[in-house]
Amino acid sequence: MASVMDDPTLARHFRGHTDAVTCADFSPTGKQLATGSVDTSLIVWNLAPKAHAVRFRGHQEALTDLQFSPTGDLVATSSEDTTVRLWTPCIEGESEVFRAHAAAVRSVSFSCDGQCLVTASDDHEVKVWSLSCRRLLYSLQRHSDVVRCARFSPDGRLIASCGDDGAVMLWDASSGQCVSCFTDCGGSVLFVDFNSSGTCLAASGQDSSLRIWDLRTSKLTHLYQVHSAVVNCFSFHPSNNYLISGSSDSTVKIADLLEGQVMYTLHGHKGPVLTSVFSRSGEEFVSGGVDGQVLVWRTNLDSRLYRDVLRGHSPKGVHRTILTVSLSLSLPPSLPLQIGPTLVDTVSHDRHIVDQTFYTHTVSPGQLRARSSRPCQPPYSLTELLYNVVIQSLL
């Protein structure tokens, strides 16, 4: 785990999809990462060093969502081809198909016991499926437009859904009755999810805002308006103290929910960020977007000393910006490199881009402090910084 003095750093950079990366999830053990794309493929990346990745094909149109089962032995995917598929993530082969909806399926989610799936669709319906019986249990039909996302609560007793009708609905999973509805969301709502304790529900959408309600009081407790474009996705840290969000403004932001402020802004993608999710341990998170990149970031947010470090190193009201700079380098083949503290994957003849993370206490692009394997004296201009990055061979 990163020390408490470290900021989030880019740990891994995967390229395998040929189009936008729309969805991602870590396995419960954290040893695998699944990603889905507009290129119609599912890729399961084994995160051990030098481990292989497996590409799964079966969907006829773009993947829209995916999730590992609670035991990690299955991956469920949804697609614009109107189907949901169940895959075994360690075997390359055919999948089991659910002819789920009459239109594109926008999301898929397992219940906490892994016995049910909930799906949301452009046909205005939310459907709940039994995996043991492989059949439809019931449909939820109160939305009046496309349903963008549906999620089970951590205890499996509730289902949350949202859509283009601007409503966030809360359903009793046993009776199928709508028990609450939040409508003051500023337009289409694209994503909804519970925190890990199930006490809070968050939603984001086209008005560039992210809202969090306390379900014990049904009151809006947080309203974040920190992105400059649509907020496509978010994920709660397992501690429930932090949240990451990805936006069409090309950034990922990390918010401290206890302090009520944004801590970091990450600039790693060239275009809208479509998916961002924490690992189950909270030590890593992944982001993917229209640029086809899959970025895995290492965090220290679970450190109990982190808040004190933040207070000691950042002026009140100022958050740090993290900028990923692509360096075009001519490198020998099969040379392991270390740039700063982060081990970069083995470089081959066809890979000449190495990503490195820089950070600053302010948002000014001209005042960057470099993280490197020798002491650097900030501030550097961006031009000066590129000449001061130390590349250390590990051979």
Side-chain angles (χ1 to χ4, degrees), residues 160-220:
S161 63
C162 66
D164 286 356
D165 58 5
V168 175
M169 296 187 185
L170 204 59
W171 310 82
D172 184 306
S174 59
S175 68
Q177 297 299 308
C178 183
V179 296
S180 189
C181 182
F182 305 102
T183 57
D184 188 18
C185 298
S188 178
V189 186
L190 303 180
F191 197 82
V192 67
D193 204 2
F194 297 87
N195 67 353
S196 62
S197 65
T199 57
C200 291
L201 179 69
S204 65
Q206 288 190 334
D207 70 345
S208 308
S209 298
L210 193 148
R211 293 168 169 82
I212 303 176
W213 294 271
D214 187 327
L215 296 181
R216 295 164 294 189
T217 62
S218 296
K219 301 294 185 182
L220 182 69

Side-chain angles (χ1 to χ4, degrees), residues 170-290:
L170 204 59
W171 310 82
D172 184 306
S174 59
S175 68
Q177 297 299 308
C178 183
V179 296
S180 189
C181 182
F182 305 102
T183 57
D184 188 18
C185 298
S188 178
V189 186
L190 303 180
F191 197 82
V192 67
D193 204 2
F194 297 87
N195 67 353
S196 62
S197 65
T199 57
C200 291
L201 179 69
S204 65
Q206 288 190 334
D207 70 345
S208 308
S209 298
L210 193 148
R211 293 168 169 82
I212 303 176
W213 294 271
D214 187 327
L215 296 181
R216 295 164 294 189
T217 62
S218 296
K219 301 294 185 182
L220 182 69
T221 58
H222 295 77
L223 174 61
Y224 289 99
Q225 296 174 306
V226 295
H227 286 284
S228 60
V230 173
V231 182
N232 297 304
C233 53
F234 61 83
S235 177
F236 283 98
H237 188 268
S239 69
N240 294 329
N241 295 331
Y242 310 99
L243 181 144
I244 54 174
S245 56
S247 169
S248 292
D249 65 10
S250 305
T251 70
V252 175
K253 292 181 183 285
I254 306 177
D256 183 325
L257 299 180
L258 298 182
E259 296 290 332
Q261 67 180 18
V262 173
M263 297 157 49
Y264 299 106
T265 296
L266 285 72
H267 298 269
H269 290 277
K270 302 174 181 66
V273 179
L274 302 179
T275 183
S276 58
V277 62
F278 277 110
S279 65
R280 304 301 195 273
S281 68
E283 295 179 356
E284 294 179 312
F285 65 90
V286 62
S287 60
V290 169

Side-chain angles (χ1 to χ4, degrees), residues 319-331:
H319 71 276
R320 302 180 184 182
T321 295
I322 299 199
L323 174 65
T324 299
V325 181
S326 293
L327 305 179
S328 296
L329 304 172
S330 179
L331 300 170

